[in-house]
């Protein structure tokens, strides 16, 4: 079995958004500090268009992209929900189907409590 195939599905990329750079930075630091993710990246402002309570909204947000081991996902989601400033925060996980085996191994090592 190839190393890439062995790693398939064992990792996830998770995204959330926040309304300020400071809160996005706080989210990123908190998940790395708790070893819920190996890496969190805060992206420059984006504009999100969505419907909320019957109104179409357009807001400036900062995206936080996190990489973690799949087995850490439930704890990550629970933590984000508990500390996030939004009533219903976006927390979306996408499986990682391949990549650099060394990076993927590091990702798992860094998410061990």
């Amino acid at each position: 079995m190839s190393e890439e195939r062995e790693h398939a599905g064992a990792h996830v990329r998770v995204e959330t958004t926040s309304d300020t750079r400071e809160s996005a930075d706080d989210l990123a630091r908190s998940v790395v500090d708790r070893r819920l993710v190996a890496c969190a990246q805060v992206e420059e402002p984006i504009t999100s268009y969505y419907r909320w309570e019957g109104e179409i909204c357009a807001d400036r947000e900062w995206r936080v992209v996190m990489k973690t081991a799949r087995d850490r996902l439930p704890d990550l989601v629970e933590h984000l929900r508990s500390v996030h400033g939004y009533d219903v925060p976006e927390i979306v996980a996408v499986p990682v189907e391949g990549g650099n085996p060394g990076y993927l191994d590091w990702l798992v090592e860094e998410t061990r409590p």
Side-chain angles (χ1 to χ4, degrees):
M1 177 184 297
S2 74
E3 281 186 84
E4 190 165 314
R5 188 168 187 74
E6 178 181 313
H7 287 292
H11 312 87
V12 291
R13 178 181 158 130
V14 180
E15 294 183 11
T16 192
T17 55
S18 191
D19 58 351
T20 68
R21 175 68 194 232
E22 181 180 41
S23 63
D25 287 341
D26 288 347
L27 288 171
R29 278 191 202 94
S30 74
V31 295
V32 172
D33 182 55
R34 287 168 178 75
R35 292 190 173 267
L36 297 170
V37 305
C39 176
Q41 300 163 318
V42 176
E43 296 180 353
E44 291 298 318
I46 59 173
T47 303
S48 294
Y49 295 86
Y50 57 96
R51 187 179 311 273
W52 182 252
E53 297 180 344
E55 300 291 323
I56 295 179
C57 303
D59 289 316
R60 185 172 153 169
E61 294 184 301
W62 282 256
R63 180 181 296 131
V64 183
V65 177
M66 299 157 277
K67 278 77 73 176
T68 192
R70 179 177 293 283
D71 66 345
R72 297 297 280 152
L73 184 58
D75 291 336
L76 174 60
V77 171
E78 180 180 329
H79 174 73
L80 288 172
R81 289 181 66 208
S82 72
V83 300
H84 206 291
Y86 288 0
D87 291 339
V88 183
E90 169 193 6
I91 304 171
V92 178
V94 178
V96 173
E97 293 300 324
N100 176 357
Y103 177 83
L104 298 174
D105 288 340
W106 170 81
L107 190 154
V108 172
E109 289 169 21
E110 289 301 313
T111 58
R112 300 303 95 183

